[in-house]
Amino acid sequence: MNQALQRIDELSMGFQMSAPLFAGARLGVFQALGGETLSSDELAKRLNASPRGIRALCDALTALDLLEKDGGSYRNSDIALRTLLEDAPDSRLALVMHGAMLYDRWASLADAAVRGGSVLDGEPGSGANRDEEAFAKAMADIGRMSAEEVAEKIGLAGVRRMIDVGGGPGVYAIAFARREPSLHAVVFDSPGTLEVARRNIAAAGLEDRVSTQPGDALNDEFGSGYDLIFLSNFVHMFSAEQNAAIIARCARALNIGGRVCVKDFAIDESRTAPLRSALFTINMLVNTQGGDCYTCGEIVAWFEAAGLAFDSETPVCGNSMLVFGKKA
Ligand SMILES: C[S@@+](CC[C@H](N)C(=O)[O-])C[C@H]1O[C@@H](n2cnc3c(N)ncnc32)[C@H](O)[C@@H]1O
């Protein structure tokens, strides 16, 4: 097959790799198998599903290395045992369930492209219809992969008070407080999301230094007296105008000499690379009315409009960047 045909084939069939994983996670196939070996009939009974359906699904999951098949019976592969059980050490189940939710929403891409924004009810990142708990748990799965590196690169020496705006499950605030013993952090988010954050803060034993503040970043002030304001994977949910207003609110809340740090997916001036960021732009098109991936230059323009000076930019976690502004 020539290269052009091969590329089209790969792209048009790519979804078939994800669909069995999402169905398996949604139906609870991996959880139901646990450490056991079960026939497709036994598994179908446990899952209250059709034996034919479960056999087809499990055969595909076997071909994808997520199950192993022995005669007519299936067991979790090492990959599934490590990543797809709720209490597995490297569990990514919440993130996979998040992917399953996005998979449905991405089906509306052509309509969203015509409209120029989401055609669906509710946004996974905000709004009344989302499952805040599931969303926050997925964010925690992602955050745990990067929090240590961000804590190291952000520069916490001398930071006494910080606020994590849209801080979700609190994973970053917890990592920062662990690294800097004199740091007091506030996690600012919606009340439902902060329930997850409070559980994580309690589990980390940091209730004395990490607190929560419910609020709406589009309308509420953040308080005052902060040395650092952190916005991680937050500005991509909003339009440029909304972000300019959020950064202006950050500028008002900072101490003189304090810094704002925007962490988000890096995208170059062409807006076509890296691939993950270009695809993330699609995620914002189908899920939000104004969200986007923003270039470092666009973020710096919000800083300058708010009276902050551009401080520095640092690559982080593979495809993200930390962009710092400072209040003189
Ligand atoms: C993509 S998540 C990022 C969470 C976290 N900062 C991280 O990097 O893992 C965006 C967060 O912003 C919160 N959020 C969305 N709209 C908000 C608003 N208007 N005010 C405050 N928080 C908001 C969501 O609840 C969610 O926790």
Side-chain angles (χ1 to χ4, degrees), residues 240-265:
E241 293 71 28
Q242 288 172 318
N243 284 321
I246 291 168
I247 297 296
R249 224 164 261 137
C250 291
R252 289 196 285 278
L254 277 178
N255 288 331
I256 301 291
R259 293 173 302 149
V260 59
C261 173
V262 173
K263 169 182 160 291
D264 224 297
F265 302 110

Side-chain angles (χ1 to χ4, degrees), residues 98 123-127 130 132 135-136 138-144 146 164-172 187-194 213-220 222 230-238 242 246 263-265 280 284:
H98 183 67
E123 296 175 6
S126 64
R130 74 190 172 114
E132 287 180 302
F135 189 80
M139 293 310 105
D141 275 3
I142 299 172
R144 275 191 275 270
S146 10
D164 184 352
V165 174
V171 168
Y172 288 96
V187 183
F188 180 99
D189 209 298
S190 62
T193 299
L194 290 181
Q213 183 176 327
D216 174 2
L218 295 175
N219 292 300
D220 300 330
F222 303 137
F230 183 56
L231 304 109
S232 167
N233 292 350
F234 190 65
V235 298
H236 64 228
M237 292 189 303
F238 304 109
Q242 288 172 318
I246 291 168
K263 169 182 160 291
D264 224 297
F265 302 110
F280 194 80
M284 292 301 97

